[in-house]
Every structure is written in structure tokens, then in C-alpha cells.
Amino acid sequence: MNLQMKMLDTDFLIIGGGTAGCYAALTFAEQAAGRVLIVEKARIKRSGCLAAGVNAINAYIGQGKTPQDYVEYVRADAAGIVRGDLLLSMAEGLNRVTRKIESLGLTILKDENGDYVSRGWRNIKINGENIKPILAEAVKKQPQISLLERVQVFEYIVRDGRMTGIYAVSIEEPLLYVITAKAVLCATGGAAGVYKPNHPGFSRHKMWYSPFNTGAGYAMGILAGAEMTSLEMRFIALRCKDTIAPTGTLAQGVGAKQINALGAVYEQKYGITTAQRVYGTIRENSEGRGPCYLRTVGITAEQDTELQKAYLNMAPSQTLRWLESGLTPSVHNVEIEGTEPYIVGGHTASGYWVDLHRETTIRGLFAAGDVAGGCPQKYVTGAFVEGEIAAKAAVHYMSDPPPFMDQQQTAGKHRSLSALLNLNRISPGSDTTDALEEEMQSVMDQYAGGISVHYQSSAESLHIAAGKIQALERRSVALTARDMQEIGYILELRERLTLCRALIAHMNARCETRWPVFCERSDFPDQRPELAKYINSQLENGGIKIVMRELINE
Amino acid sequence: MSIKISAQQCIGCGQCAEVCPGSLIVLRDSKAAIPRPERCWGCASCVKECPAGAILFYLGTDMGGQGGTLSVRRERHLLHWTVSKPDGGRVSITLDSRDSNKY
Ligand SMILES: Cc1cc2nc3c(=O)[nH]c(=O)nc-3n(C[C@H](O)[C@H](O)[C@H](O)COP(=O)(O)OP(=O)(O)OC[C@H]3O[C@@H](n4cnc5c(N)ncnc54)[C@H](O)[C@@H]3O)c2cc1C
Ligand code: SF4
Ligand code: SF4
């Protein structure tokens, strides 16, 4: 197979046509006349986290509350390690973007006065099954925005600390893209598939987070020398067992409490932060009082039916599970478990270190959504706001002179990618991408705090993990591909390995247990006030260098 | 967790392949196929897109699947879902995208 090369240029380049990426494209087109190009590895109609639909708008400022209240809530939930400035600017935009997505066609429940119906003060009720098609349609209607779909971005081109473009490959045809732009937004989402999942066999992709968000944005940033923050604040979700469907609808919708196998409500015992809720369940299990459930027995028949419907709109596997087994929630409590850890800046604070404009430490590179750090619990609406802020800043930034392209570097990239496609090198007994991925997930599981070790790690275990990941990185160099999709899989594996390396360094630097399960150190079981700081990192001379930074308030 | 595509029912329109967030579905000789079913996320996007009802959604036995399937037919803003139970029984649920979730 002969790899062709195609050069493109644009004004505003968006990597990832998901939640933040699509919203940023729409905002840019409203604000300026320039060309926008979205490069998306799937197709934007159903790509990313929103594919199956979402069940509620999780971030909204309800009546009588203020954006500052949201900041305080998130800060307490994350035990202080948040960027107050980023959170406040995000919270201030939540209600605005909600009205916008409603105007584009999203169904939001309203009361007789025309006010949104809330589910607690931060949540509002919607029908979120078609949220992504709605967003994608708006993008496609906008003539300034072009789409390059089924194209996977894998490397940044940075010159003199300035973002100038990207390399990408088509996953359908032998085509390498070199794309230059006046401003670039990274909106590739977070990372799943780094740890051994709940079901490592056939159903290994039946996970909570999108298995197709592989941490490309983190890895490209790390390798290009961007500063990253709080990677160690991993996210572990409390989910319905097996289907990994969300539990919020049961807890908040019908008021189901977490109970252990003895029927005792245990949540007050451990606290109610997001991390503590998962921790409590893990402890109840490890101390022999599991399995744990959400107590749904006793809900009405009508509630039972409504739950089946609600899950069809966001996690259809849960409804299938209930109906095929006959054990619907009114007759059987819903068993819950913790997922494998994810790196996801829309729930915790992991990601790019950005300024108020969502510009990263690489000039001209912006980040929004799950890939951007410092601003937990942004969810769908927060990702919209960040896309909006970044797009507005990009309009402003664009006035800079056009970037310059390095022919020699481009030719080198073409050579190395062509080599991956060389069939002759595949010999029996050589590594496969799937096998290395499985090994990576096992290493992270056992030595970097996965499910099998109750999410705990220590300096010793992390040291072992680092060595094993380094060895896997070396072995991944020899992988070969038979087609373009396999090239994509190799690149994804390498991205995850790069992320693992940085993640382990971050976890190692957080010598305390500030958040149970999220980053629980068996050798430092307590919180240490002197570590109320951000742990940031940057690649320096091939190694991950850790920098501690003082907290920034709003 | 994955999907099965019935080659008999498939009319080769390619809609399912267009929407898969993992680009997992391919068209071979005008029939849709999923060469790597273990990579499926179970988002059901393809199932909702298929005009011929050729795609069935099921839970893998490794996650406790019991052989039931889920299919859906779209009619403008309505989604008609059908669960076929292992014992042959069926349950139908219709959802309107203009109605919000109760919870
Ligand atoms: C299952 C699930 C349910 C959720 N439910 C809710 C809810 O009910 N309410 C709520 O408010 N929030 C919910 N969230 C959170 C919310 O959906 C996310 O925080 C938000 O959508 C993240 O947006 P994003 O733009 O960062 O990522 P995404 O929307 O996932 O976009 C990332 C995009 O980048 C693309 N991409 C990735 N890598 C590359 C690459 N290398 N090259 C090109 N393109 C690439 C992906 O294909 C994808 O389209 C949920 C999340 C999940 C996973
Ligand atoms: S269910 Fe989702 S991930 Fe699986 S094949 Fe269909 S569209 Fe792709
Ligand atoms: S959407 Fe249905 S009919 Fe169309 S190609 Fe896919 S399986 Fe076949």
C-alpha cells in the first residue's frame, strides 16, 4: 500500500468534532468570517461521549443559586484542587449555552410557567437521546465550517513554542494529512482503555466512557511539551453492575439509596463527595458486606416503566438487562460497582493547564471539554462553554502571521508511517496491538491502582508500573499494520502508553490520599495540608518533570 | 455487548456505518458487517439508524447477557423499541423525542 500525502490549510482548526469541538465551531462562525475545519476520527453525527445520548443537563445554575455556588460545590467535592478562575468563567456561561442548545432543538422539560424543571439545583431534565445529531446538524448547516471525517489526528506541529499545525491519517484510505492553521483547538475528549476494564473479555468496550476517546489530545500535548495538570485525579464512576449504566437517574430520579448486602444504608458513613461514594461501596465489598445496591425495590409500577424509558434514552443496555432477566428495578435492587479509572477533565481536573481563554502553554493551541484541566464537573454544558470561550479567543489570536511548514519533518513523518504499513515485517510470534493493549491494562490495573487492587497504589507499585510501561513503549515501536484502521489502533495504543507514563509520574508525586479511590496511596493514607497544590508536569529531555503550583482562586 | 447484523434483512444503505462512533461497521458486497464485534461500545447508534430493522443489540455472555435482543424502528420523532426475551416474549416501548425523561 502506498501512502499518499495531502496538504491543507485553514484558519481555525478543531481537533475532534464532539461536544466542545462542535460548539466551538458554531461560535467561531458566529464571531468571525474565517474558515473552520473540524477533523474528526469518526463522523460527527454520533461521535464521542454523546453517542448514546445523555440523561440530563448535569451542570446548570438553578433558581436562587449563583455561579459562585457552583464553584464552591465543585471545590469541596475535589478537596480543593480546582482552578477557581476557570470554574467561575465556566459556571457563568452554563445557562446561556443551555438556552442555545434548546433553541437548536433539544427537548428540555418545563413547568407551567415555562421554567426548566430541575433535578436538584444543578441538574435539569431533558430528552438527551438526540443531542449529538442536533448539534451535528447545526454544524453542517454552517457554510464556513468544513468537515474532515474518519481522519485521526496524531501529532502536533509546533515551531518556536507556537502551534502551527497537525499530522493526521485517514482511517479509510492510505492518506497522510498535513494541516496548517492560524489557531488550533484540541477537543479530543478524555481517555478510556488505560486500565483493565470491568469486563476484560468479549465485552471489553462495554465501559462507561467512550472507548474511542483514547487520550490523543493528552498524549499529543505531553509529547509537544505542553504543561499538564492533575492527571492523578482519576475518575472512577459508580455504575450499575455489568451494563456500566449511570446511577444518577436511580439515585436522584427515584431517590434510591446505596445499601449493602445486609440492607443497611451506608453512604453517610463515608461522606457524600463523588469519590467518597465510590469508596464506600469498595469498602463495604472488601469488608465482606457486599454486594452493594441502589435500593429500588418498592418503587411504583409507573416509576419502573419510566426508568426503563429513561435508560433507553441514554444506556439502552440497562433496559435490555432489566427486561431480558425479568428483574426490573421495582422487583430487584440494582447492583452497583466501581468502574476502571478514566482520565477525564470533564468530571475531574485532569488535562491541559490553560489560562482563562483556554489557551494552553503552547501558543495558539487551545483546549476545551474533557481534555482541558483544572475545571471539574463541567459535563456537556461546561464543555460547550469552554468551546465558546476558546473559539472567541481564537478569533482574537488569528491575526498573527500564517505558520511556516517544515518540508524535511513532513517527509520524515511520511516515511515512518509508511513503515508501519510494511506487511513483510509481520512474523509469527511478534506482538500485536491488542496483546500489548491488554498488557498495558493489566500493568496499570495491578501496579497503578486499578479495580483488582481496590484502586490503591504506593511508591513501590508505581515504580514497577513505570518500568513495565516503559518496556511496553519500546515494544510498541515494532508493531505493524495491515490497513489504515490498524495504523489508527497502533497510534491509539502509543497515545495511551504516553499518557500512562505521565499519569504514573503524577500519582507518584501526590504523596497523600486527598481523594479516596481517585488517587489512593496505601503508603500515604492521609491528606497532607502542605500538598494543597496542583501537580503539573511537562516533558523535559524525554522525561516527565513534575512542578508543584500554588492554588489559584477566582 | 455488541450487535448482530442480519445479512438477509440488510438493504445495504450504509447508514449504520456512517454513524458508528468507533467506525466499526463496513459494507461488503452491499451488506453491512462488523468485523471486530468486541470493539463495540453498545451505544445503539447503528440500531437506531437502520431503516430495515436489520441490527439487533445484545449483551455478551461475559457480562451476564441471557440471549435477549433489542431492536428499534424510528418513525419521525418516535422511537419504537422492542425487547425480545430469551423465552420468546416481547416487550415494546415507544419513546417520543419531544418528551423529556421523567427522571
Ligand atoms: C456515557 C456518558 C454519559 C454522560 N452523561 C452525561 C449527562 O447525562 N449529562 C451531562 O451533562 N454530561 C454527561 N456526560 C459527560 C459529557 O458527555 C462529557 O463531559 C462531554 O460530552 C465531553 O465533551 P468533549 O467535547 O470533551 O468530548 P467528546 O464529546 O467525546 O468529543 C471528543 C471528540 O473527539 C474525537 N476524537 C478523539 N480523538 C481524536 C483524534 N485523535 N483525531 C480526531 N478526532 C478525535 C472523538 O471521536 C469525539 O468526537 C456523559 C459522558 C459519558 C461518557
Ligand atoms: S452499537 Fe455503537 S459502537 Fe456498537 S457498532 Fe453500533 S454504532 Fe458502533
Ligand atoms: S443501516 Fe441497516 S440496512 Fe442500512 S446498511 Fe446498515 S444494516 Fe444494512
Side-chain angles (χ1 to χ4, degrees):
Chain A
M1 215 181 301
N2 226 339
L3 189 69
Q4 303 295 309
M5 195 150 73
K6 198 165 177 174
M7 310 281 200
L8 296 174
D9 88 303
T10 186
D11 295 323
F12 186 34
L13 172 68
I14 298 175
I15 311 172
T19 317
C22 286
Y23 204 90
L26 292 173
T27 305
F28 188 95
E30 277 167 15
Q31 302 273 326
R35 298 161 300 163
V36 183
L37 177 64
I38 298 179
V39 185
E40 164 58 51
K41 76 193 236 191
R43 288 196 190 274
I44 67 163
K45 185 170 181 187
R46 288 275 181 185
S47 69
C49 289
L50 304 182
V54 289
N55 77 311
I57 294 288
N58 285 347
Y60 184 80
I61 312 297
Q63 261 175 10
K65 294 287 182 176
T66 64
Q68 186 64 41
D69 293 328
Y70 198 84
V71 176
E72 303 299 347
Y73 156 72
V74 177
R75 181 182 286 127
D77 201 63
I81 311 299
V82 297
R83 284 271 302 272
D85 56 340
L86 299 180
L87 268 173
L88 186 62
S89 64
M90 184 269 287
E92 283 170 346
L94 291 172
N95 294 14
R96 182 176 64 241
V97 299
T98 303
R99 282 190 299 274
K100 165 97 176 190
I101 188 75
E102 184 185 28
S103 77
L104 293 177
L106 185 76
T107 300
I108 306 186
L109 192 62
K110 287 186 171 151
D111 61 17
E112 53 283 3
N113 302 325
D115 294 325
Y116 296 149
V117 177
S118 64
R119 194 182 84 170
W121 68 267
R122 304 180 302 272
N123 272 20
I124 54 174
K125 296 181 186 180
I126 62 170
N127 182 322
E129 186 281 318
N130 57 358
I131 185 168
K132 192 68 204 289
I134 287 171
L135 197 58
E137 211 163 293
V139 166
K140 286 178 185 169
K141 274 198 203 131
Q142 192 20 275
Q144 266 169 267
I145 308 172
S146 313
L147 292 174
L148 194 59
E149 297 178 309
R150 297 266 163 83
V151 172
Q152 187 171 328
V153 181
F154 66 93
E155 196 174 312
Y156 292 157
I157 306 172
V158 180
R159 291 190 70 86
D160 306 326
R162 224 200 112 183
M163 187 74 183
T164 57
I166 53 122
Y167 292 111
V169 280
S170 162
I171 58 165
E172 291 183 324
E173 40 182 350
L175 206 50
L176 166 67
Y177 286 92
V178 187
I179 309 175
T180 53
K182 291 182 187 150
V184 179
L185 172 68
C186 178
T188 51
V194 170
Y195 282 83
K196 188 184 212 165
N198 292 85
H199 307 284
F202 178 75
S203 302
R204 64 193 156 106
H205 273 181
K206 186 54 226 166
M207 47 181 61
W208 166 70
Y209 202 68
S210 166
F212 315 120
N213 283 358
T214 54
Y218 297 135
M220 292 188 290
I222 291 166
L223 293 177
E227 187 165 333
M228 294 286 159
T229 189
S230 307
L231 294 179
E232 78 284 2
M233 198 195 282
R234 307 173 304 167
F235 182 66
I236 292 143
L238 191 65
R239 286 295 178 267
C240 300
K241 183 157 190 326
D242 296 331
T243 57
I244 318 297
T247 51
T249 302
L250 296 165
Q252 291 165 51
V254 300
K257 292 266 180 264
Q258 286 173 229
I259 55 166
N260 62 22
L262 311 171
V265 176
Y266 60 83
E267 47 195 43
Q268 307 92 324
K269 214 162 111 187
Y270 300 97
I272 52 158
T273 67
T274 312
Q276 286 164 338
R277 280 178 184 277
V278 188
Y279 175 72
T281 305
I282 305 309
R283 281 300 289 264
E284 290 297 310
N285 276 322
S286 62
E287 290 173 8
R289 290 185 296 277
C292 296
Y293 303 91
L294 278 167
R295 190 172 56 203
T296 50
V297 169
I299 61 170
T300 64
E302 196 214 331
Q303 286 177 314
D304 195 303
T305 314
E306 288 301 331
L307 284 174
Q308 293 171 27
K309 290 185 182 171
Y311 276 91
L312 280 176
N313 277 335
M314 56 160 170
S317 48
Q318 187 61 34
T319 305
L320 175 57
R321 154 60 53 97
W322 280 330
L323 292 174
E324 77 169 8
S325 64
L327 302 174
T328 61
S330 62
V331 299
H332 200 273
N333 291 327
V334 178
E335 193 177 334
I336 49 178
E337 65 181 342
T339 64
E340 76 277 19
Y342 307 101
I343 308 303
V344 42
H347 276 66
T348 64
S350 310
Y352 282 92
W353 182 248
V354 292
D355 67 11
L356 260 181
H357 302 296
R358 272 52 177 187
E359 188 170 5
T360 69
T361 54
I362 297 175
R363 191 92 182 90
L365 174 67
F366 299 81
D370 287 356
V371 82
C375 186
Q377 304 204 33
K378 61 184 99 156
Y379 306 109
V380 173
T381 36
F384 287 161
V385 178
E386 286 198 330
E388 183 186 50
I389 295 174
K392 286 183 179 167
V395 169
H396 205 68
Y397 173 84
M398 287 242 305
S399 47
D400 283 8
F404 161 80
M405 181 53 55
D406 183 335
Q407 300 295 342
Q408 224 176 341
Q409 193 192 24
T410 307
K413 198 54 53 195
H414 182 260
R415 264 196 311 279
S416 66
L417 220 57
S418 298
L420 282 183
L421 273 175
N422 180 357
L423 274 171
N424 306 331
R425 273 169 47 202
I426 298 187
S427 54
S430 61
D431 285 325
T432 64
T433 312
D434 278 4
L436 288 192
E437 185 176 301
E438 225 173 284
E439 269 192 69
M440 169 192 70
Q441 292 178 345
S442 287
V443 168
M444 295 303 286
D445 180 60
Q446 291 170 45
Y447 299 103
I451 296 173
S452 74
V453 293
H454 304 306
Y455 307 108
Q456 292 182 342
S457 62
S458 64
E460 173 70 14
S461 75
L462 291 168
H463 179 72
I464 298 172
K468 287 182 184 285
I469 291 297
Q470 210 177 11
L472 286 171
E473 281 193 281
R474 277 197 299 272
R475 279 161 66 189
S476 77
V477 174
L479 290 171
T480 53
R482 281 166 302 190
D483 57 30
M484 294 310 288
Q485 196 153 28
E486 284 188 6
I487 286 202
Y489 294 153
I490 294 175
L491 295 169
E492 290 175 353
L493 171 71
R494 291 183 183 165
E495 281 155 12
R496 286 178 167 129
L497 286 166
T498 301
L499 175 61
C500 285
R501 182 146 58 101
L503 170 61
I504 292 166
H506 274 251
M507 290 174 75
N508 190 48
R510 191 154 291 286
C511 297
E512 64 165 349
T513 296
R514 182 164 291 267
W515 319 283
V517 298
F518 288 7
C519 191
E520 188 170 326
R521 289 284 300 262
S522 54
D523 46 352
F524 294 101
D526 299 313
Q527 201 180 103
R528 295 167 62 194
E530 68 274 25
L531 285 178
K533 291 189 170 131
Y534 307 111
I535 292 174
N536 286 8
S537 68
Q538 218 171 354
L539 193 77
E540 215 178 82
N541 303 322
I544 304 287
K545 190 181 136 215
I546 296 288
V547 208
M548 308 288 276
R549 291 201 187 280
E550 297 300 324
L551 297 183
I552 299 172
N553 285 326
E554 58 278 17
Chain B
M1 159 85 6
S2 196
I3 55 145
K4 297 187 245 228
I5 306 174
S6 154
Q8 226 159 24
Q9 277 166 279
C10 172
I11 55 168
C13 70
Q15 293 297 345
C16 52
E18 284 292 297
V19 290
C20 176
S23 307
L24 299 175
I25 303 178
V26 293
L27 249 67
R28 289 182 185 148
D29 305 326
S30 307
K31 296 285 177 189
I34 174 159
R36 298 176 174 101
E38 76 287 354
R39 284 186 174 260
C40 170
W41 184 22
C43 69
S45 298
C46 56
V47 190
K48 287 182 270 196
E49 209 66 29
C50 180
I55 310 184
L56 294 179
F57 182 88
Y58 67 98
L59 307 179
T61 47
D62 64 329
M63 57 178 283
Q66 300 180 1
T69 60
L70 188 61
S71 63
V72 62
R73 189 166 52 81
R74 187 185 286 278
E75 188 191 345
R76 292 198 319 278
H77 47 260
L78 298 179
L79 283 174
H80 303 288
W81 294 87
T82 305
V83 172
S84 302
K85 299 201 233 177
D87 64 8
R90 277 166 189 267
V91 182
S92 296
I93 301 177
T94 293
L95 297 181
D96 188 329
S97 65
R98 297 169 306 182
D99 294 340
S100 293
N101 295 339
K102 273 254 171 58
Y103 305 121

